[in-house]
Amino acid sequence: MLLLDGKLLSENIKAEIAAEVDVIRQKGGKIPHLAAVLVGENPASQVYVNSKIKSCEQVGFKSSMVRRDADLSEAELLEIVHNLNNDPDVDGFIVQLPLPKHINEEKIILAIDHRKDVDGFHPVNFGRMAQGMSAFLPATPFGIMEMLRRYNIETAGKHCVVLGRSNIVGTPMSLLLSRKGYPGDCTVTLTHSRTKDLPAEVRRADIVVAAIGIPQFVKGDWVKEGAVVVDVGINRIPDDTKKSGFRLVGDVDFDEVAPKCSHITPVPGGVGLMTVTALLMNTLKACRKEIYQ
Ligand code: GUN
């Protein structure tokens, strides 16, 4: 069993990006600038946004954070989005999800200028991705594709089973893996809460992508010998031995599944770090106007 090391990969990619930023700086070009909007006090969201800002610093990007309390109105958030859309110094920005219940996420995503949508959540980017056109790919699926590519995981003709049909992971992942090219050319099964016999579906998989948000859900006897397992879950479970009182586990029961796999992503240290790195890759593309000339 080989670990798909998101930490090592993301460090390599960040070093590549930092080198590109150095060249931009030497030539007097525009330094990429990512802005992040964080509404409310969701502890996981705070960790993610802080990690995104810190990663910007590591590669030499400019970053800015817009923080607001959970009682911010939808109109106020729309105004923030409009200001970021119209700020020529900001190349790309994200609005961290989930948003407080009184704010319509769909409305906010639609208000983001798709040319600055480095999360790849806007339907223009999603539609372009689905049609194989150049687009900002959603950060988690983009990070996973990059991971498969850099580890030379064979994908053509493989049967891939994706667990979870969210707009930000499961659905785009299934589209990207079924697209022509590498990584891709998979035969994909997209499973969800109404799938009849989930363990039987997973047993047929050469590649498993688990993105359901249930801790240690995928068990050892669900996984075919030699499968590649990508664990997207980042779940907190109580752990008295930790100072924080919790520890992070994925959607896969790592101890049971790892011995059966050819490759598996750890949690933490797997997909999560690739998500942040993919966001940096998208921001560099946005700054270079590579997607929308
Ligand atoms: N919430 C969970 N994942 C993400 C992400 O990739 N981007 C944003 N904006 N919010 C998220």
Side-chain angles (χ1 to χ4, degrees):
M1 181 275 297
L2 197 77
L3 277 187
L4 296 170
D5 187 342
K7 187 166 186 296
L8 179 71
L9 267 195
S10 61
E11 275 163 13
N12 290 345
I13 298 170
K14 279 196 251 185
E16 292 166 16
I17 296 174
E20 297 196 40
V21 174
D22 276 345
V23 174
I24 295 173
R25 186 171 287 114
Q26 278 158 23
K27 290 187 177 161
K30 185 184 178 309
I31 300 296
H33 180 178
L34 173 73
V37 183
L38 175 60
V39 183
E41 307 291 327
N42 182 316
S45 291
Q46 292 182 39
V47 171
Y48 298 148
V49 171
N50 286 336
S51 151
K52 290 168 187 179
I53 299 288
K54 196 175 132 216
S55 298
C56 282
E57 284 163 15
Q58 285 170 347
V59 298
F61 284 5
K62 194 169 162 187
S63 64
S64 39
M65 161 114 91
V66 183
R67 267 203 91 144
R68 293 292 182 272
D69 291 336
D71 61 0
L72 177 84
S73 72
E74 188 178 271
E76 285 167 325
L77 183 53
L78 282 170
E79 171 144 11
I80 291 170
V81 168
H82 286 302
N83 290 341
L84 292 168
N85 284 341
N86 294 319
D87 183 340
D89 195 61
V90 172
D91 298 297
F93 67 97
I94 64 152
V95 178
Q96 188 65 28
L97 305 179
L99 290 167
K101 295 262 177 306
H102 65 279
I103 298 178
N104 182 338
E105 281 182 0
E106 212 174 280
K107 210 163 159 180
I108 302 301
I109 289 168
L110 280 169
I112 297 173
D113 184 334
H114 61 267
R115 291 164 302 186
K116 293 192 177 189
D117 169 39
V118 284
D119 255 335
F121 291 173
H122 193 285
V124 167
N125 281 312
F126 197 96
R128 289 177 63 108
M129 172 196 67
Q131 296 198 11
M133 298 163 72
S134 72
F136 289 115
L137 302 181
T140 300
F142 185 19
I144 294 170
M145 295 295 275
E146 197 58 23
M147 192 172 224
L148 297 175
R149 196 167 72 75
R150 291 188 180 234
Y151 271 95
N152 293 311
I153 301 290
E154 222 182 293
T155 57
K158 299 292 181 191
H159 187 182
C160 176
V161 173
V162 179
L163 290 86
R165 56 180 157 188
S166 73
N167 285 342
I168 64 177
V169 185
T171 300
M173 202 63 238
S174 69
L175 285 167
L176 289 170
L177 284 167
S178 60
R179 269 186 358 184
K180 222 184 214 336
Y182 181 74
D185 288 326
C186 289
T187 305
V188 178
T189 302
L190 180 58
T191 66
H192 44 75
S193 53
R194 306 298 296 267
T195 294
K196 279 229 168 78
D197 187 349
L198 187 57
E201 295 295 343
V202 176
R203 266 180 217 118
R204 295 196 300 134
D206 303 306
I207 302 172
V208 180
V209 179
I212 32 167
I214 304 175
Q216 300 165 314
F217 184 70
V218 176
K219 298 297 177 195
D221 64 348
W222 298 20
V223 174
K224 183 163 82 179
E225 205 67 48
V228 174
V229 176
V230 177
D231 189 351
V232 181
I234 303 177
N235 309 291
R236 291 178 175 199
I237 60 166
D239 185 340
D240 293 339
T241 69
K242 301 274 184 230
K243 214 162 73 186
S244 59
F246 68 84
R247 71 186 164 104
L248 295 179
V249 296
D251 291 351
V252 173
D253 190 323
F254 187 89
D255 292 342
E256 279 190 25
V257 171
K260 301 190 74 178
C261 302
S262 68
H263 300 77
I264 186 168
T265 60
V267 177
V271 172
L273 296 168
M274 291 304 291
T275 298
V276 179
T277 306
L279 184 64
L280 299 177
M281 295 195 279
N282 275 343
T283 305
L284 186 60
K285 283 176 197 263
C287 180
R288 292 191 163 149
K289 313 258 182 287
E290 270 176 26
I291 309 285
Y292 299 98
Q293 271 88 16

